[in-house]
Amino acid sequence: QGYDVAVQRPGRTAESFIVFYLKDGVVLAADCVNAVAEFNAAKKLVAEKVVVDGAALADAAMDLKSLLPAKAA
């Protein structure tokens, strides 16, 4: 159990960020700090156990909703 990669994503402001925790590419958890707008998408990525590239998660220009499976978006 546990994670093997932690990916930090900058938030929309200087005071916000998200850290995603992945194991074998699967999103296991996310810590959203002052990132209210991204919270629901992060929550769905965890609930759906989405397999995603860490670089995509780290890219603030990438819409998190675009990483969700069609049924979860």
Side-chain angles (χ1 to χ4, degrees):
Q1 293 193 6
Y3 64 93
D4 54 19
V5 176
V7 177
Q8 185 166 341
R9 176 187 178 95
R12 295 181 185 196
T13 68
E15 298 84 24
S16 65
F17 64 91
I18 304 169
V19 179
F20 290 95
Y21 302 92
L22 292 81
K23 176 142 181 140
D24 300 324
V26 177
V27 181
L28 297 179
D31 288 325
C32 299
V33 177
N34 297 325
V36 177
E38 295 89 353
F39 174 76
N40 283 330
K43 186 172 147 180
K44 289 179 182 179
L45 287 168
V46 173
E48 294 290 323
K49 296 187 172 146
V50 174
V51 176
V52 65
D53 178 49
L57 286 174
D59 183 357
M62 173 76 65
D63 184 0
L64 288 177
K65 291 179 185 174
S66 71
L67 302 175
L68 291 167
K71 65 179 178 147

